[in-house]
Amino acid sequence: MKPLFLTIVLLYLAFPSAVFSQQKHTFSLGDSVFLLDSKPFQIISGEMHYPRVPREAWRQRMRMAKAMGLNTISTYVFWNEQEPLKGKYDFTGNNDIAAFIKIAQEEGLWVILRPSPYVCAEWEFGGYPFWLQNEKGLQVRSKEPQYLEAYRNYIIEVGKHLSPLQINHGGNILMVQIENEYGSYGSDKSYLDLNRRYFVEAGFDGLLYTCDPANDVANGHLPGLLAAVNGEDDPIKVKEIIRKNNNGKGPFMLAEWYPAWFDWWGAKHHTVPADDYVKRLDAVLAAGISINMYMFHGGTTRGFMNGANLKENTGFEPQISSYDYDAPLDEAGNPTEKYTKFRAVILKHLPKTDTIPNVPAKKAAIIIPDITFSKNCSLFDLLPKPTINENPLSFESLNQAFGYVLYRTETQVNGNGILKIKGLRDYAIIFVNSKKIGVLDRRLNQDSILIDLPATKATIDILVENMGRINFGPYLLSNKKGITEEVTFNQKVLQNWKMYGLPFDNINEVHLINSKPSFDHPVLRKGSFTVTKIGDTYLDMSNWGKGCVWVNGHHLGRYWNIGPQQTVYLPAEWIKEGKNDIVVLELLKPEQTSLNGILNPILDKLQ
């Protein structure tokens, strides 16, 4: 037996995570602590979302988590990523969450899984797929039959991929959350119990829990499940709230701890000094409370997947593409001051027998040379076959999730007057006979513009952008995009519309026609840059207007010179040695041609 024992020891020393992943474990609730293999276990977790990090970088980010002292990673599952079209599931590439969880196991990390159909997360529609709105009468977060059927189908599909990865099946998922901060939305316990039943039916037969802000725990907690608290980090209050909702017992879990915050377009960049939270983290860990910091690493909300808030006092607030979050790991995955100071606190509270790895070296960064554009094409030269209807149709009615729709009508009406778009969602550029007249911005409560129609027949074009569906609050049920009602000129309803869908969901399928675009028209510019060394970089968009960027087919996100974000993060993992392709869609400043990379992000500049 000695040679076998020696082999096992050597294997553990060389690949401790491989041994970790092969061991069988148990996880249960004690009266005041979690029990891992029947021994007290304090969860020290960080939130990190698989779609916000390039798949090629998952392992590096997890190693950074391990080196900060985290023993667990928490992630949502995003319904609109996994089922973008009804009945069409995608668990590949960056959506391969099973691979994400398995890599965590290989790196010696546990996982908290949050596959609630609703995630919030500053994510498009709070994670709900757009097509739910095409089901007439469907109401999310309710017992409405169409919603329950769609939800059940989805969670069962998720269970096929992820339930075998629970700890009670030999995997590394410690706990699974049902719903998400439901107490801030409603209090229907029978609805919550349906959630529980669907999760169990999907194979999630381990430890289930709920989490809610401190004031909403009573509404959102389902008796029989562990209650966890979000936001409150006073140890006495956390324990009081959980005991009150958990038959006088623990364990005690701070499920979302916010050492920072997110940003939205046109508002100041949010930062919180590390020192403001060091003592709070120390107090929570000293009290034996388990914690999940939201976010440990935010990353980037790429494509058109940013969400928005709608508030009575401040209005529509679409979130930016950077999800840097002023987190311990920055947008590119490098340690910040928070990382260093939080790591020191965590080290104080680790069992004496535990050690953590050294912090990996900072990632390489480069400045890419000036980018040259070889093809330039007016957006008006890319229009597909239109949908024709008497009245404007929403994105949903056009079966389009994201991107842009160009609405066009011809009218014999002439003279000066007010063009009013009733139900504009969310941003519109107005053209008359191909000449740009102005823009309307939902953030600013704009829906009307003075225009002058010539005596001859006039063509009115309205290019509408979906800036992100609302992800929180009572307005989840009012989330259609485009022109959702009618357009009038001097109170006369304009009819007979052509609608051209421009989703830009696959830039590789957009064939640019090299043309000389009008300075009034949005333009796509295609170019390239060459590098001999690979590293992270940022594209400086501060001299551009508004639009999106793709590199080597990857949608990097939106930019908008109003700020606070002025750069677009380009991960090293998506850069190739040699020639790289780039496409920019510019809506407001088509004359702009100069673009280059810089070493550091600009996330705090309002213009």
Side-chain angles (χ1 to χ4, degrees), residues 206-217:
L207 178 56
L208 303 178
Y209 77 104
T210 60
C211 77
D212 295 278
N215 293 334
D216 301 323
V217 172

Side-chain angles (χ1 to χ4, degrees), residues 193-461:
D193 193 55
L194 277 172
N195 281 259
R196 181 195 62 79
R197 285 163 47 192
Y198 289 166
F199 272 55
V200 173
E201 183 182 358
F204 294 112
D205 54 358
L207 178 56
L208 303 178
Y209 77 104
T210 60
C211 77
D212 295 278
N215 293 334
D216 301 323
V217 172
N219 287 338
H221 172 237
L222 181 65
L225 302 187
L226 174 69
V229 178
N230 292 353
E232 177 60 67
D233 59 8
D234 180 298
I236 294 174
K237 290 181 180 178
V238 170
K239 290 186 176 183
E240 283 178 352
I241 293 165
I242 291 176
R243 285 192 184 108
K244 186 176 180 180
N245 290 277
N246 212 42
N247 296 319
K249 300 178 180 179
F252 306 107
M253 179 75 190
L254 176 48
E256 289 188 11
W257 181 62
Y258 310 114
W261 206 241
F262 60 91
D263 292 332
W264 52 93
W265 293 113
K268 184 177 178 290
H269 176 50
H270 294 86
T271 60
V272 180
D275 288 340
D276 288 4
Y277 278 83
V278 166
K279 289 182 179 178
R280 299 185 188 190
L281 178 61
D282 189 38
V284 167
L285 296 181
I289 296 170
S290 289
I291 191 170
N292 176 50
M293 56 186 69
Y294 190 106
M295 301 290 295
F296 160 68
H297 172 52
T300 310
T301 310
R302 295 184 176 85
F304 300 110
M305 299 308 285
N306 66 281
N309 281 325
L310 182 61
K311 302 174 183 176
E312 289 185 8
N313 56 336
T314 55
F316 182 64
E317 298 173 345
Q319 289 123 18
I320 67 173
S321 290
S322 172
Y323 204 58
D324 177 90
Y325 217 92
D326 192 32
L329 274 195
D330 68 14
E331 186 174 8
N334 289 309
T336 66
E337 181 186 15
K338 278 184 182 150
Y339 182 100
T340 303
K341 292 187 174 181
F342 289 178
R343 184 178 192 267
V345 173
I346 292 169
L347 276 169
K348 276 178 56 180
H349 295 281
L350 291 180
K352 292 182 180 180
T353 54
D354 287 6
T355 59
I356 61 175
N358 293 326
V359 179
K362 185 176 180 179
K363 298 173 68 191
I366 62 172
I367 298 178
I368 60 174
D370 291 347
I371 294 165
T372 56
F373 294 99
S374 56
K375 278 190 176 181
N376 307 286
C377 179
S378 166
L379 190 67
F380 283 58
D381 291 333
L382 292 175
L383 301 182
K385 183 178 178 180
T387 298
I388 300 173
N389 197 63
E390 183 176 1
N391 298 306
L393 298 173
S394 68
F395 277 48
E396 290 75 14
S397 295
L398 295 168
N399 203 35
Q400 180 174 322
F402 315 116
Y404 312 83
V405 171
L406 182 72
Y407 294 83
R408 173 174 289 173
T409 189
E410 294 181 348
T411 179
Q412 300 283 359
V413 179
N414 60 74
N416 285 313
I418 298 295
L419 182 78
K420 181 181 178 68
I421 305 175
K422 190 176 181 183
L424 171 63
R425 305 287 184 267
D426 299 299
Y427 185 89
I429 308 176
I430 317 297
F431 305 84
V432 174
N433 290 339
S434 283
K435 179 178 174 59
K436 185 169 81 171
I437 303 301
V439 302
L440 297 175
D441 185 346
R442 182 184 181 188
R443 293 179 315 114
L444 306 177
N445 294 316
Q446 297 170 340
D447 66 359
S448 303
I449 189 170
L450 179 66
I451 65 173
D452 184 14
L453 296 181
T456 57
K457 184 167 66 175
T459 299
I460 299 174
D461 286 310

Side-chain angles (χ1 to χ4, degrees), residues 64-246:
M64 294 299 294
K66 190 81 173 173
M68 197 176 87
L70 303 185
N71 54 35
T72 305
I73 288 292
S74 173
T75 184
Y76 286 119
V77 185
F78 297 83
W79 188 351
N80 53 14
E81 288 283 7
Q82 311 300 157
E83 191 183 4
L85 297 173
K86 187 175 182 178
K88 304 292 184 184
Y89 296 99
D90 181 4
F91 287 82
T92 64
N94 244 92
N95 291 336
D96 188 353
I97 184 172
F100 180 85
I101 292 167
K102 290 173 184 175
I103 291 171
Q105 187 170 29
E106 291 167 6
E107 294 301 323
L109 290 162
W110 304 103
V111 166
I112 294 173
L113 188 68
R114 311 174 74 188
S116 158
Y118 168 73
V119 300
C120 188
E122 291 70 62
W123 193 265
E124 226 278 338
F125 202 1
Y128 285 121
F130 85 99
W131 51 263
L132 288 176
Q133 297 186 104
N134 283 336
E135 308 290 323
K136 191 173 182 180
L138 184 146
Q139 294 187 39
V140 299
R141 308 189 88 176
S142 79
K143 292 183 289 187
E144 191 277 322
Q146 295 173 102
Y147 170 66
L148 292 180
E149 180 184 11
Y151 170 17
R152 178 179 174 275
N153 291 341
Y154 161 71
I155 204 68
I156 286 175
E157 186 67 27
V158 169
K160 293 175 185 176
H161 294 264
L162 302 185
S163 65
L165 305 181
Q166 296 171 103
I167 190 170
N168 53 321
H169 295 277
N172 60 324
I173 297 174
L174 295 178
M175 305 194 301
V176 179
Q177 178 190 305
I178 70 163
E179 244 293 350
N180 184 50
E181 297 188 324
Y182 176 70
S184 301
Y185 187 85
S187 58
D188 185 343
K189 303 298 184 182
S190 61
Y191 164 70
L192 282 174
D193 193 55
L194 277 172
N195 281 259
R196 181 195 62 79
R197 285 163 47 192
Y198 289 166
F199 272 55
V200 173
E201 183 182 358
F204 294 112
D205 54 358
L207 178 56
L208 303 178
Y209 77 104
T210 60
C211 77
D212 295 278
N215 293 334
D216 301 323
V217 172
N219 287 338
H221 172 237
L222 181 65
L225 302 187
L226 174 69
V229 178
N230 292 353
E232 177 60 67
D233 59 8
D234 180 298
I236 294 174
K237 290 181 180 178
V238 170
K239 290 186 176 183
E240 283 178 352
I241 293 165
I242 291 176
R243 285 192 184 108
K244 186 176 180 180
N245 290 277
N246 212 42

